[in-house]
Amino acid sequence: KSPYRSYFKFNKPAEAKSDYEGWWGYQTLPKLNYEQSEELVEYILDTGAKWVAEPYNADGWRLDVAADLGHSQKFNHKFWKQFHERVRESNPEAFIFAEHYGSPESWFAGGEWDSVMNYDAFMEPVTWFLTGMDKHSESFDGGRLYDGKQFFDSMFKNMSKFPRPALDSALNQLSNHDHSRFLTRTNRTVGRISTKGPHEAGYNTDKRTMELAVLIQMTWPGSPGIYYADEAGQVGWTDPDSRRTYPWGNEDWQLIEFHRAAIELRKRIPCLKMGSVKKLDAGNGFIAYGRFDGNECCAVIINCSDSEIALSVPVWELGVPRDGAKMTCRFFCRDGGFDCTEHGAEVRFGRLFATLPEKSACVYYYSFKNTD
């Protein structure tokens, strides 16, 4: 007799205590039955519009497992288009992004989502390259570890599914509530809290690798998103262990300062936020890429290997003059720390020559405004 009964689907509707449909079969997560209730659809659309308008003025909506909303993809596309239209009528600046696994391109084509949580074109390629682990710490693949070529192949293949505005606003995270903490992945140990217990999540972690990941996060296309306490050195296996509280009184202040410096670097150099990206070099244990626009460029070099490397990076591909130009090192991280002291490096034959110790990285900068 409930006025909300049509909001749900019941497997045995004739029984007083009937078994309602749950999301993916979980009885603790009742699945709303949008297809059979226009009232429900309208209620949710009104809710979407309400909270982005005055006096609440929310900036937008993050949609949880949005592709699983209804019982068919046809309906889901129809609903999210209506939702997008209603929300934008209420607030033209509202941002709508979804949790989604797999290619998101069909959800961008019809004016449904603005962007997504960026697993395929950020979290996974970075994790495989730097740690050899999957994002749940449930498998290890030594073939992907340190493979710079595969890193770029995976990145660019998945980035091609995004319109540029969606790519620039995609949420680039290293960790979140559904996956293991990135710092735990650096121990290259397969496990869950049920098999390894809570303490082993913090054994043999490598903060240097974590810092390399943060630097990639702050210099790669997209919108960096820091999962609370990652910046303070929190560890944890996959959900629910990844939801540990902030480590008040036990923060890793060196890691916090590293995050602050990497964020400041991104804020200070516009091409790191909105510039184009280009692969410059890749190999076993290293990658080099450029970010550039019409005014400036940066060359980012990452050495995640266990030995020193010497590289000659073809920065002429970014537009840097082949001879006589000087690029400025704006950020250099090594030995678990960082240095923002600027120093120059001369470009010869269109190449920047750099020697990096193990587990280190640097960001070189060049302004086209300084040329004749």
Side-chain angles (χ1 to χ4, degrees), residues 145-183:
L145 177 66
Y146 295 168
D147 189 334
K149 182 179 182 302
Q150 191 172 78
F151 167 84
F152 282 117
D153 288 347
S154 178
M155 275 290 200
F156 292 152
K157 175 185 176 181
N158 289 298
M159 288 167 68
S160 70
K161 307 299 197 316
F162 289 73
R164 185 59 197 256
L167 182 65
D168 286 333
S169 57
L171 184 64
N172 289 351
Q173 294 184 301
L174 296 171
S175 317
N176 65 26
H177 60 287
D178 284 326
H179 308 98
S180 60
R181 293 272 181 173
F182 188 89
L183 188 56

Side-chain angles (χ1 to χ4, degrees), residues 262-339:
I263 291 168
E264 175 60 25
L265 177 75
R266 182 182 179 89
K267 288 182 175 180
R268 197 155 34 101
I269 303 177
C271 72
L272 292 179
K273 292 184 286 187
M274 298 297 292
S276 297
V277 63
K278 186 174 187 4
K279 170 187 173 182
L280 297 176
D281 201 0
N284 183 26
F286 73 91
I287 54 173
Y289 55 92
R291 298 296 306 278
F292 61 97
D293 57 24
N295 298 315
E296 60 189 1
C297 68
C298 282
V300 183
I301 310 171
I302 308 289
N303 174 22
C304 58
S305 72
D306 299 311
S307 59
E308 180 181 274
I309 60 170
L311 298 174
S312 60
V313 181
V315 293
W316 65 268
E317 296 183 20
L318 303 177
V320 178
R322 288 177 176 267
D323 292 296
K326 284 189 177 181
M327 298 190 75
T328 305
C329 183
R330 291 288 185 88
F331 196 93
F332 185 28
C333 67
R334 62 179 176 180
D335 301 325
F338 63 93
D339 182 3

Side-chain angles (χ1 to χ4, degrees), residues 3-9 30-48 69-71 75 79 82-83 86:
Y4 308 111
R5 186 174 179 84
S6 64
Y7 288 17
F8 305 92
K9 184 178 180 181
K31 184 173 177 67
L32 293 174
N33 190 22
Y34 290 90
E35 288 93 327
Q36 301 301 317
S37 178
E38 292 184 8
E39 179 184 343
L40 170 62
V41 170
E42 191 62 27
Y43 179 79
I44 298 299
L45 295 178
D46 283 345
T47 301
L69 177 88
H71 294 87
F75 175 82
F79 178 87
Q82 291 177 307
F83 184 86
R86 189 72 66 86

Side-chain angles (χ1 to χ4, degrees), residues 5 8-15 18-22 25 27:
R5 186 174 179 84
F8 305 92
K9 184 178 180 181
F10 294 88
N11 298 321
K12 299 177 181 179
E15 297 184 10
S18 49
D19 179 22
Y20 56 78
E21 181 185 14
Q27 282 291 290

